[in-house]
Amino acid sequence: MFQAAAKTLSATSLSRGILFSTRLYCKKTPTKLRVSEALSGTDVGANIQVQGWVRSVRSQRVNLFLHVNDGSSLQSLQIVACSELNNPLLTFGSAVEVTGILKKSPNQKQSVELEAERIHVVGESNPVDFPFKIKDRHSLEYIRQFPHLRCRTNAFSSLLRIRSEATTAIHSYFKENGFVQIHTPIITSNDCEGAGELFQVEPFGPEHDGDENFFSVPTFLTVSGQLHLEVMSGAFSRVYTFGPTFRAENSQSRRHLAEFYMVEAEVSFTHSLEDLTLVIEDMFRSATEHVLAHCAEDVALFHKHVTPGHRDTVDAMVKKRFPVISYSEAIDILNRSSQKFVFPSDWGCDLQTEHEKYLVKHCGNIPVFVTDYPYDLKPFYARDNQDHPKHTAAAVDLLVPGVGELCGGSLREERLDLLRARLEEVGLEDTYSWYLDLRRFGSVPHGGFGLGFERFLQCILGVDNIKDVIPFPRFSHSCLL
Ligand code: 4AD
């Protein structure tokens, strides 16, 4: 592997007409900086080293220009070197370690650049075989075919930084608002949603042959941490969890995954659904504003190149209060519309994506809460509104532009007799005897919700396909890597 000898740049007139000053070879160990630290400009004049991957190479007669990126920012650091440091192994995608002096850049495009004294190619990359080409702007669909390499593109590395920052934003929101984080289990023996979309967990390997009884009960990957949060809400008035959840939905849709991240919160001593909608709206706004402020460049890349025009939608979502309509009102709106829907929209039918998108548009293309769904559509835990003739449960969904349902939540049935009757109806009284216990000892009105984290990212970035906002998408017939 080529390793360029460390050398001092002598007073050389470079093709850009800049005169580099003569200086002595600096023996001091260079300071290792991340690209974002170097770009901040605070180390101008220092002997530094950066490590990263080459995003562009331009070789001129006298000079060599590289852009090096290490994932710390969208912007890459420009490296300027004399052409003797050029090397055929310096290609798009190769990994390098560059040492030199950080200088103010004479070019408006960047504030600083690294005047290289030494460029070491750490890892080669054959540009012919590398699936991404230096000059092409690849579509999200194209880069999705290379889950093991797509983090090396600008768009996906931006997405991953945004995802990381959005995670921080959500944890900060809950911390600042007095919620205690609970690590709810991934392996569970309950089907919280009762929808039967479970992945079963069993031991595997020769020592377990014939032993399907590892836990002595059937066990599954969790579809929701809600019931475990409800346990905790008997001692903590505000709890949340944020982790992977799993659904064996046989869906290839643009908003469903078999493994996705869910943010769930549970609030004790609630009086009405408003206690939940206020938290949901506040969390949504706070996390969105945090991402817009802390990932401005990365978000701008999406809003400019991937989903032009989406920034206005996001600004409106942050500024305007979210309207609240009941399910019955939503049905009226759908039935008054001139749009022809594929799925029925009679009272009692579940809202489909086409209905949700219509309702969002109808309400001004901002998020809208839909409350009080038909009792029979909701799982056993939803609180009975005891109304008649349209029997509803105190449940709420948040529908958002471009995506449809982002959050689902409800007040929980805290009344022992009503809960027992419902569990009996569905034959689950024994399975959930521990859940009934929660209503026997210090039961309080409480409620909570779950927000699909990938759908949140889709919503703020305007990304159409959920597979483009998670590092390694899992969905039916696909589990690459
Ligand atoms: O509406 P869901 O099913 O609600 C629950 O699981 C409740 N137990 C949550 C609670 O009250 N603690 O799911 C919540 C959200 C949905 O609104 C949606 O955004 C997301 O999770 N979601 C999915 N996201 C991606 N792929 C899937 N297959 C999803 N299923 C639900």
Side-chain angles (χ1 to χ4, degrees):
M1 189 174 291
F2 173 89
Q3 185 170 331
K7 58 182 353 192
T8 308
L9 279 180
S10 56
T12 321
S13 178
L14 298 178
S15 59
R16 294 174 302 155
I18 314 301
L19 193 69
F20 283 171
S21 57
T22 310
R23 62 192 153 63
L24 292 170
Y25 176 69
C26 180
K27 288 212 168 58
K28 216 182 111 213
T29 316
T31 311
K32 227 180 236 183
L33 292 185
R34 288 180 304 129
V35 165
S36 60
E37 292 169 325
L39 288 170
S40 73
T42 46
D43 289 274
V44 166
N47 183 19
I48 68 155
Q49 183 179 78
V50 293
Q51 296 160 319
W53 292 266
V54 173
R55 286 286 167 83
S56 80
V57 191
R58 188 159 49 93
S59 177
Q60 294 179 344
R61 199 172 51 81
V62 193
N63 286 329
L64 168 71
F65 293 92
L66 302 178
H67 278 100
V68 171
N69 192 286
D70 64 355
S72 58
S73 70
L74 174 61
Q75 222 187 318
S76 300
L77 179 64
Q78 171 155 288
I79 312 293
V80 188
C82 59
S83 55
E84 290 117 82
L85 291 190
N86 202 352
N87 164 357
L89 298 181
L90 276 174
T91 57
F92 178 57
S94 59
V96 292
E97 197 169 73
V98 185
T99 312
I101 301 295
L102 192 66
K103 298 249 162 143
K104 274 205 156 71
S105 173
N107 194 317
Q108 298 258 308
K109 278 193 185 157
Q110 64 271 324
S111 58
V112 292
E113 59 191 25
L114 179 57
E115 190 184 300
E117 292 170 347
R118 176 178 178 271
I119 303 177
H120 169 48
V121 178
V122 180
E124 304 167 19
S125 174
N126 181 335
V128 179
D129 297 337
F130 194 51
F132 310 129
K133 302 300 167 206
I134 195 161
K135 291 232 161 73
D136 294 353
R137 188 179 291 284
H138 300 291
S139 68
L140 293 178
E141 288 78 12
Y142 176 78
I143 67 171
R144 203 189 299 145
Q145 299 171 77
F146 309 96
H148 56 309
L149 295 173
R150 69 176 171 165
C151 59
R152 296 163 194 232
T153 63
N154 277 343
F156 207 67
S157 63
S158 281
L159 178 276
L160 292 171
R161 274 186 299 275
I162 294 168
R163 193 177 158 109
S164 166
E165 202 59 50
T167 305
T168 303
I170 283 166
H171 284 298
S172 304
Y173 173 80
F174 284 120
K175 186 170 168 48
E176 281 157 20
N177 287 281
F179 284 76
V180 174
Q181 184 188 0
I182 303 292
H183 290 128
T184 50
I186 286 177
I187 298 177
T188 165
S189 54
N190 75 65
D191 174 8
C192 170
E193 293 305 291
E197 292 161 343
L198 299 164
F199 289 104
Q200 188 153 2
V201 177
E202 277 171 10
F204 176 76
E207 68 274 29
H208 293 293
D209 266 357
D211 171 18
E212 270 128 42
N213 249 342
F214 186 88
F215 291 107
S216 302
V217 287
T219 44
F220 315 99
L221 296 178
T222 185
V223 294
S224 162
Q226 176 192 323
L227 301 186
H228 299 99
L229 276 191
E230 279 196 67
V231 168
M232 300 305 170
S233 73
F236 298 86
S237 57
R238 293 173 178 203
V239 284
Y240 81 102
T241 188
F242 183 3
T245 42
F246 307 86
R247 304 226 173 151
E249 275 171 288
N250 201 359
S251 169
Q252 299 267 350
S253 92
R254 288 160 187 271
R255 51 176 222 161
H256 287 93
L257 290 167
E259 177 183 88
F260 62 99
Y261 276 68
M262 211 201 293
V263 179
E264 294 182 85
E266 207 64 30
V267 183
S268 304
F269 303 99
T270 49
H271 299 286
S272 69
L273 276 179
E274 200 184 353
D275 290 332
L276 298 182
T277 57
L278 287 176
V279 177
I280 296 173
E281 184 167 348
D282 203 26
M283 180 188 70
F284 179 95
R285 190 162 289 118
S286 153
T288 305
E289 280 173 346
H290 179 108
V291 169
L292 295 179
H294 290 80
C295 304
E297 272 192 339
D298 291 314
V299 171
L301 178 133
F302 276 86
H303 290 167
K304 191 166 168 209
H305 297 298
V306 183
T307 49
H310 192 68
R311 180 57 195 241
D312 292 343
T313 311
V314 177
D315 286 341
M317 289 196 270
V318 171
K319 272 195 213 110
K320 297 191 180 156
R321 289 300 312 269
F322 302 169
V324 183
I325 57 173
S326 70
Y327 168 88
S328 297
E329 284 168 324
I331 293 296
D332 285 347
I333 292 168
L334 295 174
N335 290 337
R336 281 202 308 269
S337 137
S338 55
Q339 186 169 318
K340 290 274 161 285
F341 297 109
V342 177
F343 291 92
S345 55
D346 304 320
W347 203 97
C349 294
D350 216 349
L351 296 180
Q352 303 294 326
T353 311
E354 56 173 352
H355 303 139
E356 294 170 349
K357 288 189 173 172
Y358 181 87
L359 291 167
V360 168
K361 281 253 155 60
H362 178 87
C363 294
N365 210 31
I366 53 170
V368 52
F369 287 111
V370 180
T371 64
D372 301 302
Y373 281 77
Y375 181 79
D376 291 338
L377 286 182
K378 291 295 163 187
F380 65 88
Y381 55 70
R383 192 174 200 274
D384 190 346
N385 278 332
Q386 296 188 299
D387 43 1
H388 184 75
K390 288 179 173 164
H391 188 189
T392 63
V396 58
D397 279 0
L398 179 65
L399 314 181
V400 297
V403 174
E405 183 194 328
L406 173 67
C407 293
S410 73
L411 296 181
R412 317 307 189 189
E413 187 55 81
E414 85 284 7
R415 295 160 293 186
L416 180 61
D417 48 341
L418 291 180
L419 183 61
R420 189 191 288 122
R422 185 138 202 213
L423 283 171
E424 265 170 18
E425 239 175 63
V426 285
L428 288 173
E429 203 199 359
D430 290 343
T431 313
Y432 286 108
S433 60
W434 62 269
Y435 190 70
L436 286 167
D437 266 358
L438 303 180
R439 276 62 178 170
R440 281 195 193 100
F441 309 113
S443 179
V444 297
H446 64 288
F449 65 88
L451 169 141
F453 183 57
E454 284 73 25
R455 292 190 188 179
F456 171 69
L457 295 173
Q458 282 186 276
C459 168
I460 58 174
L461 299 177
V463 172
D464 192 39
N465 197 318
I466 197 165
K467 299 171 189 80
D468 297 328
V469 294
I470 186 162
F472 300 102
R474 274 86 180 84
F475 51 98
S476 57
H477 306 297
S478 177
C479 187
L480 298 175
L481 274 68

